[in-house]
Amino acid sequence: MRIDIGNCMDTVASPGISSESLDSLAIQVSEIHMDIGPKITNNTFGYAALNPPSPEEMKQLFTISDSFFNFSNVLTIGIGGSALGSKTLSTALGISGHHVLDNVDPFANLDVLNNLDLSDTVVNVVSLSGTTIETISNFLIVRDIMEKQNIDWTSQTFVTTASKGYLSDLSDKYSLPIVPFPESIPGRFSALSTVSLAPLLILGGDVEEIIKGARSGLESLSRSLHNSPGYAYGALTTELFNLGITSNSIMPYSERLETFTEWFAQLWSESLGKDGTGQIPLRAMGATDQHSQLQLYRAGKRNLMVTFLDVIDHKTKLTIPPPDFNTFDYLSNLNMDDLLRTELKTTEASLADVGCPSVKIELTEIDSFQLGQLLHGCMASCIISAELQGINGFDQPAVEWGKTALKDILTGKSSSESSSTQNKNSHWIEK
Amino acid sequence: MRIDIGNCMDTVASPGISSESLDSLAIQVSEIHMDIGPKITNNTFGYAALNPPSPEEMKQLFTISDSFFNFSNVLTIGIGGSALGSKTLSTALGISGHHVLDNVDPFANLDVLNNLDLSDTVVNVVSLSGTTIETISNFLIVRDIMEKQNIDWTSQTFVTTASKGYLSDLSDKYSLPIVPFPESIPGRFSALSTVSLAPLLILGGDVEEIIKGARSGLESLSRSLHNSPGYAYGALTTELFNLGITSNSIMPYSERLETFTEWFAQLWSESLGKDGTGQIPLRAMGATDQHSQLQLYRAGKRNLMVTFLDVIDHKTKLTIPPPDFNTFDYLSNLNMDDLLRTELKTTEASLADVGCPSVKIELTEIDSFQLGQLLHGCMASCIISAELQGINGFDQPAVEWGKTALKDILTGKSSSESSSTQNKNSHWIEK
């Protein structure tokens, strides 16, 4: 993995990063690294996410995955950070058999469950707190269906949680294996921890290579921004944000990275969206969104940057056969890989042409190693960005209000939150 | 369909719409309606999109769809507005058998094609110009596969295009049926035209009800903003944009509306993103993104609004069975519909609590009629917003630069665009 920052420098972009700013950022990154390096090493809360799982954690994981080796599917029940890490990895790597319930949409959930052979499925219930309403609800529904199908759910279910709570009690009652949710890692930073690796391991994913990629990311973190793609990306996006680039469109040229954009959006939003600040992550997809978003990116307000993800080799060759009429002779025998990469190049140039800043992340291919590097680099970026802005990147205080309101309504408790939901301000417009 | 604007008024939100602004907007909408009403009636370019297809167009469509009545699948090959309309409708209505190739990603495309019985599939090639590189490329690949499988592709392919171009020539050569792309409707406004309805009709969708919904939307357009949900939404989002609300997160509480958010994002971006202006559409999903985006929405810069889509009845009952421990007794026998709607209510209140503006669009259920209303209302919103801002909502000049660059590179033509793509500004960061 490497990143090209040329198109966000002020020689191209406006606003863009000046060479003086880059020097200043390099000094700040160096100082921050001196501060957080030991925090990473000491597994301090949050920073611990940059460490690959320990050999002990992996040993425990292997024991659990071995016991489920003969199942074809894993159903992960979680929401937010409890689901997005494993979903991102399995989607990007094309690992089939990983299914996810990460919403409480009855139509969508039944669609998943009706198309899944639950007798051949390991159920993976994930909640850091062990008390997430959506996750407990979905688990209860899945268990009920399994019981009705005479499936011994207790023999094919494991939970991923911290030490206390409903899931832990459930594990005690039914002797379900537990993958401990590392208590020093916030949910959205758990993509390279045992939390996300468990389903992949059961389904035969190359977890060792993902961890090697994460370790390579860890080794790339240094006092020099110029040798640390993760730090560089975080520092530059923060500086661009300070220059008025309030949105960042994540635009991979690979459908396999679609879930990655959701994961990135969560990481960015929950970590950096606080204290009246925070760059807004957008999700886009190349080349499709050239026919959807590009008009706005090029011609709208200059308050947006684009992060391209360029995959050199898609490892699937599709060659375009000759067309009927000579107007399209130039398509004949073109590789679709090459077409897709040329589309990226032209879009990148199209934005540079009008001074819209962009950064390009390049992967030679989407394999386990580079995916480990990519996710690690994004987490390091996010952490350095929070440090540069002096905000706590590891909490999410603003989601508590809604959680309290939800619980209070469901339990019938009167509180300022629950009574606020009786919207007295409604102003309906209808014909 | 009705919309609640209470939470974007300045009695709740900051910035928010004052009652004086609302009065002023109502007057402007009234004047604009007097101006564009005749343009709609006369099928003037762009405005024509607000008219349902004519009986003649529908007759032609029925003839084509009848000839394909015995196929189980339709494969739509298009990109941008040529694919998003039909994809939005079929996904929302749960119409199975509609498959879409709307990218030139070799991995993703082969995944679709390898899981599709092409002998039982109608191929629908859609391009307004008939010269879209991605669409022609995908068509050539699909045809090649069909020929290799000894399928007479000519007997199960139709094209949707304007009068001239590659697809029209192809139709002449192989006697393929043509659905005429209405020349007065820009691609991204074609969701309720024959372009998008064709695949649904073949697959048994209730096209008549969609059209009835569109007609109901048309009838709701009046001089009074207070009786026109579409105009009201467009006017209010424009006013909020002028007050600094530069982003608009579209957040349905239904997975079936996920593609709708892509469609909306295209409509908004390509129509309004020009002349240095344009509100940035974000795509979100409730309840999942409460665990992902909500932190940013509530605690970030006050430059964002949320558009909720509330579905009262999901028409799929899932009841949560009793939990093991009494901490979660309150979930017992709860309908998932009710849980999902309560989540929406609490999130809406959570944003109102901090003055973040939101609008709620309410559907009693996701059926053909209300979907027709919804898409019609969004297009009317977009048109009124462009009028209020004095911009041309129907062109997309900024995408041409990249298209020219792409074609010039592929044909080996030297031009200022193609030479710009030889990025001389690269500045790589790697370990």
Side-chain angles (χ1 to χ4, degrees):
Chain A
M1 186 185 102
R2 56 178 195 158
I3 73 170
D4 184 359
I5 64 168
N7 284 325
C8 70
M9 301 303 292
D10 68 358
T11 44
V12 175
S14 176
I17 312 267
S18 65
S19 59
E20 293 75 24
S21 291
L22 190 62
D23 291 343
S24 162
L25 287 170
I27 293 168
Q28 292 176 72
V29 164
S30 170
E31 287 168 357
I32 293 170
H33 181 72
M34 291 295 284
D35 178 44
I36 69 175
K39 294 182 182 168
I40 299 170
T41 309
N42 298 329
N43 269 320
T44 304
F45 182 79
Y47 305 96
L50 298 179
N51 292 317
S54 68
E56 295 70 36
E57 286 175 310
M58 286 311 296
K59 199 177 156 194
Q60 201 171 4
L61 205 58
F62 276 113
T63 307
I64 292 175
S65 72
D66 283 350
S67 68
F68 295 126
F69 82 96
N70 53 342
F71 288 92
S72 307
N73 305 295
V74 174
L75 177 65
T76 294
I77 303 176
I79 195 164
S82 295
L84 276 170
S86 60
K87 195 174 170 183
T88 298
L89 291 167
S90 62
T91 308
L93 295 172
I95 293 176
S96 61
H98 189 223
H99 308 267
V100 178
L101 292 185
D102 63 353
N103 202 352
V104 283
D105 177 320
F107 187 92
N109 287 5
L110 267 186
D111 191 50
V112 169
L113 295 172
N114 288 340
N115 289 292
L116 189 57
D117 176 3
L118 286 171
S119 70
D120 193 17
T121 299
V122 178
V123 176
N124 168 30
V125 195
V126 190
S127 166
L128 172 56
S129 67
T131 60
T132 310
I133 286 176
E134 296 89 345
T135 302
I136 305 289
S137 299
N138 279 330
F139 162 70
L140 292 171
I141 283 170
V142 170
R143 179 174 68 173
D144 186 55
I145 295 175
M146 291 175 94
E147 282 177 343
K148 284 179 179 150
Q149 294 179 4
N150 295 315
I151 297 168
D152 174 17
W153 67 274
T154 63
S155 68
Q156 54 196 74
T157 297
F158 70 101
V159 301
T160 304
T161 188
S163 51
K164 304 277 177 199
Y166 188 92
L167 291 187
S168 165
D169 294 343
L170 202 71
S171 158
D172 288 345
K173 181 170 176 186
Y174 298 103
S175 305
L176 310 177
I178 286 194
V179 174
F181 207 121
E183 294 195 29
S184 54
I185 300 183
R188 63 184 172 278
F189 282 91
S190 66
L192 296 172
S193 77
T194 46
V195 174
S196 302
L197 298 177
L200 272 86
L201 201 57
I202 294 169
L203 294 168
D206 194 345
V207 164
E208 289 295 337
E209 277 297 306
I210 296 172
I211 291 174
K212 275 187 199 166
R215 189 163 294 124
S216 152
L218 180 62
E219 285 161 5
S220 81
L221 300 181
S222 75
R223 291 184 60 181
S224 172
L225 170 155
H226 299 285
N227 298 319
S228 300
Y231 281 167
Y233 182 77
L236 294 171
T237 51
T238 305
E239 180 65 14
L240 287 168
F241 178 70
N242 291 335
L243 295 170
I245 300 297
T246 47
S247 292
N248 182 359
S249 172
I250 312 302
M251 191 168 186
Y253 276 63
S254 168
E255 298 274 343
R256 293 160 71 184
L257 294 176
E258 184 161 27
T259 312
F260 164 78
T261 66
E262 288 179 47
W263 173 83
F264 182 95
Q266 194 217 9
L267 183 70
W268 226 240
S269 296
E270 283 209 329
S271 305
L272 305 177
K274 51 194 62 159
D275 304 342
T277 188
Q279 195 179 47
I280 301 173
L282 312 181
R283 299 183 280 123
M285 180 56 63
T288 306
D289 281 335
Q290 295 174 198
H291 298 259
S292 168
Q293 305 302 307
L294 183 58
Q295 167 70 33
L296 171 70
Y297 296 173
R298 193 173 138 103
K301 272 182 183 286
R302 194 58 69 242
N303 59 357
L304 182 143
M305 64 174 289
V306 177
T307 300
F308 294 105
L309 279 101
D310 187 13
V311 178
I312 296 180
D313 186 347
H314 286 260
K315 294 283 166 186
T316 307
K317 287 288 161 254
L318 261 181
T319 305
I320 301 170
D324 292 77
F325 313 108
N326 60 15
T327 40
F328 282 97
D329 274 352
Y330 60 87
L331 291 180
S332 188
N333 297 315
L334 185 66
N335 269 325
M336 198 168 264
D337 274 47
D338 296 333
L339 173 57
L340 196 55
R341 293 199 71 213
T342 308
E343 300 240 23
L344 188 157
K345 251 185 233 173
T346 57
T347 303
E348 188 184 22
S350 159
L351 296 179
D353 179 60
V354 295
C356 174
S358 71
V359 172
K360 182 165 64 183
I361 301 175
E362 187 187 88
L363 308 179
T364 58
E365 62 180 290
I366 302 177
D367 58 12
S368 301
F369 181 83
Q370 289 184 73
L371 208 56
Q373 277 187 322
L374 175 65
L375 300 189
H376 192 280
C378 292
M379 291 196 286
S381 298
C382 190
I383 289 173
I384 206 91
S385 179
E387 297 285 333
L388 282 165
Q389 296 178 80
I391 57 178
N392 181 348
F394 304 125
D395 65 357
Q396 54 286 332
V399 303
E400 295 309 321
W401 195 100
K403 284 187 185 177
T404 302
L406 177 64
K407 192 173 170 190
D408 288 349
I409 290 177
L410 294 177
T411 56
K413 180 177 164 193
S414 175
S415 66
S416 67
E417 286 87 351
S418 64
S419 60
S420 295
T421 63
Q422 285 147 13
N423 196 343
K424 299 173 208 84
N425 304 303
S426 281
H427 179 155
W428 288 102
I429 300 217
E430 60 191 307
K431 172 128 188 342
Chain B
M1 186 185 102
R2 56 178 195 158
I3 73 171
D4 183 0
I5 64 168
N7 283 326
C8 70
M9 301 303 290
D10 68 359
T11 43
V12 175
S14 175
I17 314 268
S18 65
S19 58
E20 295 75 23
S21 291
L22 190 62
D23 291 343
S24 163
L25 287 170
I27 293 169
Q28 292 176 72
V29 164
S30 170
E31 288 167 357
I32 292 171
H33 181 71
M34 292 295 283
D35 179 43
I36 69 176
K39 294 181 182 170
I40 299 170
T41 309
N42 297 329
N43 268 320
T44 304
F45 182 79
Y47 305 95
L50 297 179
N51 291 316
S54 68
E56 297 71 36
E57 286 176 310
M58 287 310 296
K59 199 176 156 196
Q60 202 170 4
L61 205 58
F62 277 113
T63 307
I64 292 175
S65 71
D66 283 351
S67 68
F68 295 128
F69 80 97
N70 54 343
F71 288 92
S72 308
N73 306 294
V74 174
L75 177 65
T76 293
I77 304 176
I79 194 164
S82 294
L84 276 171
S86 59
K87 195 174 168 182
T88 298
L89 291 167
S90 61
T91 308
L93 296 171
I95 293 175
S96 61
H98 189 222
H99 308 267
V100 178
L101 292 185
D102 63 353
N103 201 353
V104 283
D105 178 318
F107 188 92
N109 287 6
L110 267 186
D111 190 50
V112 170
L113 295 172
N114 288 339
N115 290 295
L116 189 58
D117 176 3
L118 286 170
S119 70
D120 193 18
T121 299
V122 179
V123 177
N124 167 32
V125 195
V126 190
S127 165
L128 173 55
S129 67
T131 60
T132 310
I133 286 175
E134 295 89 346
T135 302
I136 305 290
S137 299
N138 279 330
F139 162 70
L140 292 170
I141 283 170
V142 170
R143 179 174 69 173
D144 186 56
I145 295 175
M146 291 175 94
E147 283 176 343
K148 284 180 180 149
Q149 294 180 4
N150 294 316
I151 298 168
D152 175 17
W153 67 273
T154 64
S155 68
Q156 54 195 74
T157 297
F158 71 101
V159 301
T160 304
T161 188
S163 52
K164 302 279 178 198
Y166 188 92
L167 291 187
S168 166
D169 294 343
L170 201 73
S171 159
D172 288 345
K173 182 169 175 185
Y174 298 103
S175 305
L176 310 176
I178 287 194
V179 174
F181 207 121
E183 295 195 25
S184 55
I185 298 184
R188 63 184 169 278
F189 283 90
S190 66
L192 297 172
S193 77
T194 47
V195 174
S196 303
L197 299 178
L200 272 86
L201 201 56
I202 294 169
L203 294 168
D206 195 345
V207 165
E208 290 296 336
E209 277 297 306
I210 297 172
I211 292 174
K212 274 188 199 163
R215 189 164 295 123
S216 152
L218 179 63
E219 286 160 5
S220 81
L221 301 181
S222 76
R223 290 183 62 182
S224 171
L225 170 153
H226 299 285
N227 298 319
S228 300
Y231 281 168
Y233 182 77
L236 294 173
T237 52
T238 305
E239 181 65 14
L240 286 169
F241 179 69
N242 292 334
L243 295 171
I245 301 297
T246 48
S247 292
N248 182 357
S249 173
I250 312 303
M251 192 167 184
Y253 277 63
S254 166
E255 298 274 341
R256 293 160 72 184
L257 294 176
E258 182 160 32
T259 312
F260 164 77
T261 66
E262 288 180 47
W263 174 83
F264 183 95
Q266 195 218 10
L267 183 70
W268 226 239
S269 296
E270 283 209 330
S271 305
L272 305 177
K274 51 195 60 159
D275 304 344
T277 189
Q279 195 180 46
I280 301 173
L282 313 182
R283 300 184 278 124
M285 181 56 62
T288 306
D289 281 335
Q290 294 175 197
H291 299 258
S292 168
Q293 305 300 307
L294 183 58
Q295 167 70 34
L296 171 69
Y297 296 173
R298 193 172 138 103
K301 272 182 183 287
R302 194 59 68 242
N303 60 356
L304 183 143
M305 64 175 288
V306 177
T307 301
F308 294 105
L309 279 101
D310 186 13
V311 177
I312 296 181
D313 185 349
H314 287 261
K315 294 282 165 185
T316 306
K317 287 287 163 254
L318 262 180
T319 304
I320 301 170
D324 293 78
F325 312 109
N326 59 15
T327 41
F328 281 96
D329 274 351
Y330 60 87
L331 292 180
S332 191
N333 296 316
L334 185 66
N335 269 327
M336 199 171 264
D337 275 48
D338 296 333
L339 173 58
L340 196 55
R341 292 198 72 213
T342 307
E343 300 241 20
L344 189 156
K345 250 185 235 171
T346 56
T347 303
E348 189 184 23
S350 157
L351 295 180
D353 179 62
V354 294
C356 174
S358 70
V359 172
K360 183 165 64 183
I361 301 174
E362 187 187 86
L363 308 180
T364 58
E365 61 179 291
I366 302 177
D367 59 12
S368 300
F369 181 82
Q370 289 186 72
L371 207 55
Q373 277 187 322
L374 175 66
L375 301 188
H376 192 279
C378 292
M379 293 196 286
S381 298
C382 189
I383 289 172
I384 205 90
S385 178
E387 298 285 333
L388 282 165
Q389 296 180 79
I391 58 177
N392 181 347
F394 303 125
D395 64 358
Q396 55 285 333
V399 304
E400 295 309 320
W401 194 101
K403 285 187 184 177
T404 303
L406 177 63
K407 191 172 171 190
D408 289 348
I409 291 176
L410 294 177
T411 58
K413 182 178 160 191
S414 176
S415 66
S416 67
E417 286 87 351
S418 65
S419 60
S420 294
T421 62
Q422 286 146 14
N423 195 341
K424 299 172 208 84
N425 303 305
S426 282
H427 179 155
W428 288 102
I429 299 214
E430 60 191 308
K431 170 121 194 334

